[in-house]
Amino acid sequence: MEYKFGKNKNIFFLGVRDGIPIALGYFAVSFSLGIMATKSGLSPLQALVASFLNNASAGEYAGFSMIAISSSYIEIAVITLIANARYLLMSIALSQRIRKDTPLHHILIIAHLLTDEIFAVSIARPGDVNPYYTFGVIFTASPAWAFGTFFGAVAGNILPIRLVSAFSVALYGMFIAIIIPAAKSDKVILSLVVVSFLLSYIFSFDFFRISEGIKTILLTVVISAFGAIFFPLKNGDSNE
């Protein structure tokens, strides 16, 4: 079957429609992320490019945090890779469901712009995934993420410092909203969250004479590896 937009227009616009709620959420979250980018020393244009190239709240948050403490390029690259590692698994899972006649360049575009929400709505489609549906979702959601970061960075440059600080709290609220439901339903996750808080506090003392970037990388890898090895998710388990 020849792969042309005319034959997939309806499914594309269905994706555009389904992407609207995602776009609204992205804009709100990335606005706060843009304020953090400004506090880390980035310009609005740099924040826009960062969000276009790295469509991930956790990855960007980690990257901006590392920039704020003047980490090296290698440290920033490693922590971003770790924070975004889940997208490797999502891409593999989606590749098993995507239409077999999908051109390689379409697959590469989707792999680059894939996010948790875009993956979720795409994989939930019955049967093989039509890439034009995913393109429709991306067409709506991804610009909202990038430009939300841009306008947040602009606001960070013109708004009073107190108001900027208030907006910055929203990003921490987002992460709390992610942690709390999982921690309430799974004691292992709750324990790992508490341990991560304690170790982060302990490693903040000057006694540990390594850079903040290395500390973040070590804690992330060690704690997540410990949880995966000693408390693996068994078949049939669910945190929902």
Side-chain angles (χ1 to χ4, degrees), residues 120-213:
V121 296
S122 297
I123 206 73
R125 298 282 300 169
D128 291 340
V129 176
N130 187 322
Y132 277 92
Y133 173 81
T134 307
F135 285 145
V137 180
I138 290 172
F139 181 81
T140 308
S142 293
W145 178 261
F147 282 98
T149 309
F150 173 79
F151 288 116
V154 171
N157 283 324
I158 62 177
L159 293 177
I161 295 178
R162 288 186 178 181
L163 190 56
V164 170
S165 298
F167 272 116
S168 299
V169 175
L171 194 62
Y172 297 101
M174 179 196 70
F175 281 101
I176 292 175
I178 294 173
I179 292 172
I180 294 300
K184 286 175 63 178
S185 61
D186 193 314
K187 293 182 179 180
V188 172
I189 294 178
L190 175 61
S191 300
L192 292 176
V193 169
V194 172
V195 169
S196 67
F197 286 163
L198 290 175
L199 290 180
S200 295
Y201 174 72
I202 293 172
F203 273 75
S204 66
F205 291 106
D206 292 335
F207 175 78
F208 298 95
R209 298 185 179 279
I210 56 177
S211 70
E212 291 295 327

Side-chain angles (χ1 to χ4, degrees), residues 51 61 69 79 81 91 93 96 99 104 109 119 137 155 175 177-178 181 213 215 218 236 238 240:
S51 278
Y61 173 80
I69 58 177
I79 194 63
L81 175 64
S91 296
Q96 304 305 304
R99 286 175 52 163
L104 178 60
I109 292 172
F119 169 80
V137 180
F175 281 101
I178 294 173
K215 291 177 187 177
L218 287 176
S238 174
E240 296 181 357

